[in-house]
Amino acid sequence: MNRLVGAACSAILLVTVVACAPFGDGGPPRHEVPLSEPAPPSAQWIVDTLSTVGSRPEQCPKPTLATLAVLDTDGDSRAAAFWLVDNVDVCVVTIRNPIATGVTFIPIDDLTKERPFPTDSIPNMAEYIVTAFPGQVDGIRVVGSPDHVLGPAHTRTVDLGDGKFVTFVEYRIVTPQNGDDLPLSLCPASGECRDAYIPRLVTDTPEPSPRNAP
């Protein structure tokens, strides 16, 4: 998937449902993935919010406390969470209030490869970013431009089966003005750092085709 398509599928837009096509015939075998621990009862409000008709893509089953993994929440009206469709696809939700809810359906492998960017492009707003690392990754932190980072990164590692693990990551930043870039990196305790932000303005601008290129 090229950057433009991958980014469009990765975006978690307010009150917008985004879906990416699942694997077709010949794709990897699929199976359900039980979580090692359910979401706490205090997360029931997230499940209730996602029960609203039209608030999630049709590929995303209705989550329950047993299938929901909460990455960050204020316990009342703000949250970032995910639930696995199977070992191939995942659904991610960000909630800034019950009305401003965005759900993304995306292949897990794409989430581990795309350069992450915020849920929308409103300047000076606190935005969620949700991404993932392949494998069991510890000590992930956001490095650089501390004035734009709101708290530490939150992680959850899931065993997908057949020896495959994935570590989901969530962090919050304040989006800069004028579509400016941020010198932010997402760094594990060991291993290489990754870019932690890309301006949405760049993501939404398609590259010129050879026919139209200057």
Side-chain angles (χ1 to χ4, degrees):
M1 178 179 291
N2 61 37
R3 173 171 293 183
L4 176 62
V5 176
C9 292
S10 300
I12 307 168
L13 306 177
L14 297 179
V15 264
T16 301
V17 170
V18 181
C20 304
F23 287 96
D25 294 340
R30 297 172 179 266
H31 59 77
E32 293 185 2
V33 179
L35 295 180
S36 58
E37 58 182 271
S42 59
Q44 183 62 46
W45 74 271
I46 302 175
V47 174
D48 294 342
T49 298
L50 289 166
S51 297
T52 304
V53 176
S55 65
R56 63 183 191 277
E58 61 181 11
Q59 300 97 325
C60 292
K62 179 181 177 180
T64 66
L65 291 179
T67 61
L68 188 72
V70 180
L71 291 166
D72 187 16
T73 182
D74 67 356
D76 182 28
S77 61
R78 176 182 64 77
F82 68 89
W83 67 104
L84 298 168
V85 177
D86 48 33
N87 61 311
V88 175
D89 297 316
V90 64
C91 297
V92 180
V93 60
T94 60
I95 304 172
R96 288 200 294 176
N97 60 63
I99 297 175
T101 298
V103 181
T104 298
F105 169 83
I106 184 171
I108 297 170
D109 284 348
D110 284 359
L111 197 60
T112 66
K113 297 172 184 175
E114 294 298 336
R115 186 182 179 193
F117 57 96
T119 57
D120 62 46
S121 57
I122 303 174
N124 295 324
M125 292 287 289
E127 305 295 344
Y128 285 107
I129 297 181
V130 179
T131 186
F133 279 73
Q136 302 182 67
V137 183
D138 299 318
I140 298 175
R141 65 195 190 283
V142 185
V143 178
S145 194
D147 292 342
H148 288 87
V149 180
L150 302 175
H154 301 88
T155 64
R156 176 73 178 269
T157 298
V158 176
D159 182 354
L160 298 178
D162 300 323
K164 183 177 181 179
F165 291 80
V166 63
T167 300
F168 294 90
V169 187
E170 174 274 334
Y171 49 101
R172 298 175 72 221
I173 67 169
V174 176
T175 306
Q177 297 188 38
N178 304 320
D180 295 337
D181 203 347
L182 284 176
L184 291 178
S185 297
L186 200 58
C187 299
S190 61
E192 296 183 357
C193 296
R194 289 170 44 178
D195 290 324
Y197 171 75
I198 181 173
R200 185 166 172 78
L201 177 63
V202 173
T203 301
D204 285 345
T205 303
E207 298 179 0
S209 64
R211 177 180 301 175
N212 297 324

